[in-house]
Amino acid sequence: MRLDDGGDLVISPLTAEDVPAEATALKAELTEMLPFAPIVSLLIELDKRTGYLDCFTHAGGKQASSPELKRNLIAVLLAHSANLGLTRMADACGISYDVLAWTSEWYVREETLRAANLAIIDYHQRLPLTPIFGTGTLSSSDGQRFPTRGKSVTARAHSASGALPPQEPLQ
């Protein structure tokens, strides 16, 4: 870390650790053992187990129950989550843009997304393997932690592994 001639902070990229050949071979072997499952199939299976698509209710109060509506919801959720957009999703899946836009407008809202997330989380919490990985109150989604100096609105000490020792502010 250094300051450049203009006074801007320059942070050098982290170096990647070498992955042992055994780990690479094991990863390849395990990957070959897993069946390929299209994302749509996974979302359909997830709905069968959790009922998360039923959480997407019409803004006027109607329940989402028809197979066509569930199909449309999956297409809308994929379009939004993959940053594909409804126009490109309509081209890709054969459902008209108007149908996808209507579904998105009337069914996909903050409260329905929150309810669907909670349905999935509730199901996950009931799985037998879940408690082995902790209480579920913390996430290490990307597994990266970076030490910081000084006070920051977006950084804090990670209490589970002990706080980092205080460091001097950058000069």
Side-chain angles (χ1 to χ4, degrees):
M1 215 177 320
R2 64 178 176 80
L3 294 176
D4 66 9
D5 295 335
D8 292 325
L9 179 65
V10 177
I11 301 175
S12 303
L14 298 174
T15 57
E17 294 182 17
D18 292 332
V19 177
E22 298 85 7
T24 303
L26 181 60
K27 179 180 178 183
E29 184 180 341
L30 292 173
T31 300
E32 289 178 21
M33 293 170 68
L34 296 172
F36 173 76
I39 186 85
V40 172
S41 298
L42 292 173
L43 293 174
I44 291 168
E45 179 67 24
L46 184 62
D47 182 54
K48 287 179 183 175
R49 293 174 185 239
T50 67
Y52 79 97
L53 288 176
D54 292 331
C55 297
F56 292 97
T57 55
H58 189 280
K62 300 175 188 173
Q63 285 290 348
S65 58
S66 75
E68 293 80 18
L69 183 56
K70 287 188 175 195
R71 177 202 65 188
N72 299 346
L73 282 167
I74 288 173
V76 167
L77 293 173
L78 280 174
H80 290 313
S81 64
N83 203 21
L84 188 62
L86 297 178
T87 301
R88 288 175 53 199
M89 178 55 81
D91 293 340
C93 72
I95 303 170
S96 76
Y97 170 83
D98 292 339
V99 168
L100 295 178
W102 180 85
T103 303
S104 181
E105 179 73 25
W106 287 98
Y107 287 88
V108 182
R109 303 178 309 280
E110 183 179 349
E111 63 266 20
T112 59
L113 284 166
R114 181 173 283 116
N117 280 333
L118 290 174
I120 294 168
I121 290 167
D122 180 58
Y123 175 79
H124 178 262
Q125 290 297 313
R126 291 183 278 125
L127 293 173
L129 195 56
T130 300
I132 293 171
F133 291 98
T135 62
T137 58
L138 298 174
S139 170
S140 179
S141 302
D142 65 3
Q144 297 180 6
R145 285 187 258 157
F146 300 97
T148 60
R149 296 178 184 208
K151 293 184 179 183
S152 171
V153 176
T154 59
R156 65 175 175 81
H158 187 276
S159 60
S161 63
L164 294 171
Q167 298 177 344
E168 294 297 317
L170 291 174
Q171 300 296 326

